[in-house]
């Protein structure tokens, strides 16, 4: 394959390669080509050029089909050129300008996020107001990176800016009762809305695309991994620097608290997003490994939680803090399920790991049912409160999500449902959690003040 051949020429060479395999019929070949073109279109929408999109697409398709895998392996030496910041042979002025322009944008946004957080610490203090506005100081810079990267239209940018500003107004002018529950609920749910807004920038305006939403799910999981790795590495470096300076009589703690951490944490988030964006289209082997490791461990943890819930006697005796912690765990379980779906090869037939996923969902469903019973018992005994209503609403949403997921998953395991139907349900249902966050942030403060 010529390095500078056009996209159609590359697809023709790939098709001719597969056509030489007698086991592939012309119908199968047409289907594979359609899938390849879909993959290429998705990658081009993500910012890759024709050649990069083709290389990544055949790599992904190679994970689905043995013959395509052979083709990808024969050309894999070219794929590795995408794994470095400055590709081999990329010495031209255009490549250098593009690379340094993106680095400049990323570093500027990282510094801007740090400055915004530092200003917030100075002007807002460290109390309730800062906690409500913490996400607003950082997430707009992450959204700005994707808006620039995707080349969003002016109209879309205006809509996103309007959403950020509207949330800022709500969080700062609503009738929150000092020391009450609604301000804390708003502070906890605001990051959900901010992440949804960031996701709208990430998908580049393709709001209705299931594949782009699933890409954002995969991005979210890999972002957490990269951010954690950066945090661990940065923590080690700062710890060594702290110890070294102490030996010479210098105390780094005031500087660390006042300047290093306010810039390092939000800056690391922007840098991590850039790293995931640069690498995830090529290296997608992290997600499958992590999901296969943590799925059985999570099942064991959920079973232990179920035993605890069912052996405490009366459901009224279940500690309120335990219910809150279990809500957080169920959300993490849901994220693991979504991450597993985003990492799965869509054309692979159901197997053992899909059965494990069903067990995970069924176990989570049992735990959620026990939690709902405990919450209803507490509401019947002590009455409604903002916290109880928020927790009850979240668990009802999880119940619907898990019931439908296990129904579709079981159908996929039996062969009566396609993987696309399961993936479509997950991506279609995700915005419901954002709508619930809107209800908690907008409706709860006035409702529980004037009720």
């Amino acid at each position: 394959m010529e390095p500078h051949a056009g996209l159609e020429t590359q697809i023709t060479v790939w098709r001719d390669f597969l056509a030489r395999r007698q086991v592939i019929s012309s119908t199968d070949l047409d289907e594979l080509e359609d899938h390849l073109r879909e993959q290429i279109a998705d990658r081009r929408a993500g910012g890759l050029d024709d050649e990069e999109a083709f290389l990544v697409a055949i790599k992904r398709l190679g994970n689905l089909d043995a013959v395509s895998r052979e083709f990808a392996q024969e050309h894999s030496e070219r794929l590795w050129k995408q794994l470095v910041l400055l590709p081999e042979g990329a010495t031209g002025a255009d490549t250098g300008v593009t690379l340094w322009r993106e680095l400049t944008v990323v570093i500027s946004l990282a510094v801007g996020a740090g400055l915004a957080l530092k200003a917030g610490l100075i002007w807002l203090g460290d109390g309730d107001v800062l906690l409500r506005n913490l996400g607003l100081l950082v997430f707009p810079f992450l959204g700005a990176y994707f808006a620039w990267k995707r080349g969003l239209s002016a109209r879309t940018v205006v809509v996103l800016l309007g959403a950020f500003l509207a949330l800022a107004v709500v969080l700062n002018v609503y009738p929150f009762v000092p020391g009450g529950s609604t301000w804390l609920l708003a502070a906890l749910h605001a990051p959900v809305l901010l992440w949804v807004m960031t996701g709208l920038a990430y998908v580049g305006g393709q709001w209705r695309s299931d594949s782009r939403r699933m890409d954002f799910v995969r991005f979210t999981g890999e972002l957490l991994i990269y951010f954690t790795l950066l945090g661990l590495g940065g923590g080690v470096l700062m710890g060594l620097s702290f110890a070294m300076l102490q030996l010479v009589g210098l105390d780094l703690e005031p500087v660390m608290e006042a300047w290093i951490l306010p810039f390092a944490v939000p800056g690391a988030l922007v840098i991590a997003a850039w790293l995931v964006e640069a690498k995830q289209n090529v290296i997608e082997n992290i997600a499958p490994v992590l999901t296969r490791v943590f799925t059985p461990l999570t099942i064991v943890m959920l079973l232990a939680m179920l035993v605890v819930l069912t052996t405490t006697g009366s459901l009224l005796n279940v500690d309120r803090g335990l219910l809150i912690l279990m809500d957080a765990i169920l959300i993490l379980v849901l994220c693991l399920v979504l991450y597993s779906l985003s990492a799965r090869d869509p054309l692979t037939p159901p197997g053992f790991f899909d059965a494990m996923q069903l067990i995970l969902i069924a176990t989570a469903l049992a735990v959620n049912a026990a939690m709902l019973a405990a919450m209803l018992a507490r509401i019947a005994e002590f009455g409604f409160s903002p916290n109880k209503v928020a927790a009850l609403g979240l668990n009802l949403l999880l119940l619907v999500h898990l019931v439908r997921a296990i129904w579709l998953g079981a159908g996929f395991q039996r062969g009566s449902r396609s993987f696309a139907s399961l993936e479509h349900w997950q991506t279609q249902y995700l915005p419901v959690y954002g709508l619930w966050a809107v209800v908690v942030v907008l409706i709860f403060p006035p409702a529980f003040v004037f009720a």
Side-chain angles (χ1 to χ4, degrees), residues 72-392:
Q73 288 173 349
E74 289 189 5
H75 297 76
S76 61
E77 71 280 359
R78 297 176 61 201
L79 288 173
W80 286 103
K81 295 180 182 180
Q82 311 299 323
L83 299 183
V84 291
L85 296 179
L86 188 61
E88 181 183 343
T91 57
D94 292 341
T95 302
V97 170
T98 301
L99 171 64
W100 289 111
R101 182 175 62 183
E102 181 159 1
L103 283 174
T104 301
V105 170
V106 170
I107 293 173
S108 299
L109 290 173
V111 173
L115 288 172
L117 182 57
K118 179 62 180 177
L121 291 172
I122 295 174
W123 297 335
L124 302 179
D126 57 357
D128 299 353
V129 178
L130 176 64
L131 186 59
R132 291 202 305 268
N133 289 275
L134 198 57
L136 285 166
L137 299 174
V138 178
F139 281 99
F141 293 91
L142 195 58
Y145 168 65
F146 289 120
W148 174 82
K149 183 71 174 179
R150 301 290 187 264
L152 296 185
S153 65
R155 178 180 179 182
T156 304
V157 171
V158 169
V159 171
L160 289 176
L161 284 176
F164 279 117
L165 290 174
L167 181 59
V169 170
V170 167
L171 291 175
N172 289 281
V173 304
Y174 252 45
F176 295 110
V177 177
S181 300
T182 54
W183 79 265
L184 181 58
L185 288 172
L188 293 175
H189 286 76
V192 177
L193 299 180
L194 290 168
W195 195 241
V196 170
M197 297 174 196
T198 304
L200 295 179
Y202 179 89
V203 300
Q206 300 179 40
W207 326 120
R208 300 181 180 180
S209 171
D210 289 346
S211 62
R212 294 299 292 153
R213 284 197 295 268
M214 193 55 75
D215 283 343
F216 183 63
V217 170
R218 186 188 300 111
F219 164 80
T220 301
E222 303 231 356
L223 175 66
L224 292 176
I225 296 169
Y226 275 75
F227 182 72
T228 301
L229 291 176
L230 288 175
L232 291 174
V236 170
L237 291 177
M238 285 191 290
L240 292 174
S241 301
F242 185 82
M244 181 184 66
L245 291 175
Q246 274 193 326
L247 292 176
V248 297
L250 296 177
D251 186 9
L252 189 63
E253 186 173 355
V255 178
M256 183 178 296
E257 293 179 354
W259 293 100
I260 296 178
L261 289 179
F263 279 84
V265 176
L269 183 64
V270 177
I271 296 296
W274 171 63
L275 290 174
V276 175
E277 179 71 6
K279 305 302 182 187
Q280 72 168 352
N281 284 329
V282 179
I283 304 178
E284 296 187 291
N285 57 348
I286 295 178
V289 172
L290 290 178
T291 54
R292 280 161 174 76
V293 169
F294 284 101
T295 294
L297 296 177
T298 306
I299 292 173
V300 173
M301 179 184 65
L302 289 176
L303 289 174
M305 292 169 54
L306 190 59
V307 171
V308 170
L309 280 177
T310 55
T311 57
T312 54
S314 172
L315 293 175
L316 290 175
N317 296 330
V318 178
D319 185 77
R320 174 174 171 268
L322 177 61
L323 292 176
I324 295 174
L325 179 61
M326 293 176 71
D327 265 341
I329 292 174
L330 282 178
I331 293 173
L332 289 177
V333 170
L334 179 60
C335 292
L336 178 61
V337 171
L338 291 170
Y339 194 48
S340 301
L341 288 175
S342 73
R344 191 188 188 282
D345 293 334
L347 299 183
T348 303
F352 173 77
F353 185 71
D354 296 291
M356 291 289 292
Q357 288 287 300
L358 278 180
I359 295 174
L360 174 63
I361 297 173
T363 310
L365 186 59
V367 171
N368 189 44
M371 290 181 62
L372 278 172
M375 290 178 184
L376 291 173
R378 293 176 67 89
I379 290 174
E381 180 70 18
F382 304 111
F384 287 96
S385 70
N387 289 330
K388 293 188 182 72
V389 174
L392 180 63

Side-chain angles (χ1 to χ4, degrees), residues 412-431:
F412 174 65
Q413 192 72 22
R414 294 192 307 267
S416 60
R417 298 272 183 179
S418 66
F419 177 76
S421 64
L422 178 59
E423 188 178 47
H424 179 72
W425 160 251
Q426 303 285 3
T427 58
Q428 289 292 317
Y429 194 79
L430 282 178

